[in-house]
């Protein structure tokens, strides 16, 4: 199985800050990576697919990049609604696997 | 608008069975892959099962293969997860999700989830 390792596991930031979350795959997965946001007590929300393409309706302050094994999610100009947990996921191979999550808290 | 609404989650004893349902609307059900993803209390997301659109090829995580069965009823646009031989570690919120195409791959929409508790 492909392991997806996110870092950091948690971070604190302020409204208006720029933050970056990284995700490393245990083997090459081209650009078959997605990113999801989950607010406490809510269902996940799809943000990114194909490593860098935003789903419809996702604000442009979200951006992502990467290929092969190393991927990043960046949020520029944090808004109050962005404080949540973020997950990466690979969909190149079954079983589909998620990172362990990165919790983004308000500083 | 794509809508996914899960139901069927309850408290069940270990070894028991359960059927989860995901009622869908707002899209042509058979044209899209569908997924089940679960989340144990306080933990991260875990993929459980998927089915392609069309022929409905099923895929399973090793942890549930042989115990869970994914199916779809095209006549009422509903996805199911039949769960047998339930274990404590199957406890969690179960989310139904839609793929972005007929083939498995990208998840684009999520349901609100239904809670399964396996305990004596």
């Amino acid at each position: 199985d492909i392991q997806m390792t996110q870092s950091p596991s948690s971070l604190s930031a302020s409204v208006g800050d720029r933050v970056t979350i990284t995700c490393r795959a245990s083997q090459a997965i081209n650009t078959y990576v997605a990113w999801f946001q989950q607010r406490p007590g809510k269902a996940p929300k799809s943000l990114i697919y194909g490593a860098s393409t935003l789903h419809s309706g996702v604000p442009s302050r979200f951006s992502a990049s990467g290929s092969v094994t190393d991927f990043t999610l960046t949020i520029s100009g944090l808004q109050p609604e962005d404080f949540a947990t973020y997950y990466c996921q690979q969909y190149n191979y079954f079983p589909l696997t998620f990172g362990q999550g990165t919790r983004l808290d308000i500083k | 608008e794509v809508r996914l609404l899960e139901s069927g989650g309850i408290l069940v004893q270990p070894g028991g069975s359960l059927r989860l349902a995901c009622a869908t609307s707002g899209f042509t059900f058979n044209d899209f892959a569908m997924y089940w993803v679960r989340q144990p209390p306080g933990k991260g997301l875990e993929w459980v099962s998927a089915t392609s659109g069309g022929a409905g090829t099923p895929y399973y995580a090793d942890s549930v293969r042989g115990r869970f069965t994914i199916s779809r009823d095209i006549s009422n646009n509903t996805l199911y997860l039949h769960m047998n031989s339930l274990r404590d570690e199957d406890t969690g919120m179960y989310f139904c999700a839609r793929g972005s195409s007929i083939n498995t791959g990208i998840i684009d929409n999520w349901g609100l989830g239904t809670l399964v508790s396996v305990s004596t």
Side-chain angles (χ1 to χ4, degrees):
Chain A
D1 298 0
I2 296 175
Q3 307 301 315
M4 302 294 283
T5 303
Q6 288 182 234
S7 61
S9 296
S10 64
L11 74 157
S12 296
S14 301
V15 172
D17 283 355
R18 180 176 184 265
V19 297
T20 296
I21 298 167
T22 66
C23 181
R24 174 163 287 177
S26 61
Q27 63 189 77
I29 54 172
N30 199 334
T31 57
Y32 294 103
V33 165
W35 290 92
F36 304 95
Q37 176 194 67
Q38 188 177 32
R39 299 187 178 108
K42 301 296 185 182
K45 174 185 175 182
S46 298
L47 297 177
I48 305 278
Y49 64 95
S52 61
T53 303
L54 272 63
H55 280 283
S56 175
V58 174
S60 59
R61 62 180 180 274
F62 290 90
S63 63
S65 65
S67 65
V68 188
T69 61
D70 293 303
F71 304 89
T72 61
L73 172 69
T74 298
I75 313 171
S76 301
L78 278 169
Q79 298 299 301
E81 60 268 29
D82 299 337
F83 292 94
T85 299
Y86 292 85
Y87 296 92
C88 62
Q89 178 231 353
Q90 68 80 21
Y91 54 93
N92 196 28
Y93 301 104
F94 282 106
L96 309 181
T97 47
F98 291 87
Q100 80 278 16
T102 295
R103 179 174 172 174
L104 175 57
D105 290 330
I106 298 176
K107 186 183 290 185
Chain B
E1 180 187 3
V2 173
R3 290 185 182 268
L4 308 171
L5 184 62
E6 302 91 336
S7 62
I10 59 169
L11 172 63
V12 62
Q13 291 190 338
S17 297
L18 201 55
R19 186 186 76 168
L20 304 183
C22 173
T24 75
S25 61
F27 62 101
T28 303
F29 180 58
N30 204 39
D31 286 353
F32 292 87
M34 298 293 297
Y35 303 81
W36 288 100
V37 175
R38 68 186 179 186
Q39 186 169 38
K43 296 185 181 287
L45 301 172
E46 178 190 11
W47 170 72
V48 172
S49 182
T51 176
S52 64
T57 304
Y59 303 88
Y60 299 99
D62 286 347
S63 59
V64 307
R65 184 176 292 111
R67 300 188 298 122
F68 291 10
T69 302
I70 191 170
S71 67
R72 54 168 90 205
D73 184 339
I74 300 169
S75 66
N76 66 8
N77 296 327
T78 301
L79 178 74
Y80 296 102
L81 186 67
H82 307 261
M83 309 163 71
N84 296 319
S85 303
L86 282 161
R87 305 168 180 168
D88 291 351
E89 56 265 35
D90 295 319
T91 293
M93 187 70 78
Y94 282 71
F95 297 101
C96 163
R98 193 194 79 159
S100 64
S101 73
I102 197 167
N103 297 311
T104 53
I106 300 163
I107 291 174
D108 62 4
N109 282 272
W110 296 75
L112 299 179
T114 187
L115 183 62
V116 173
S117 296
V118 183
S119 175
T120 54

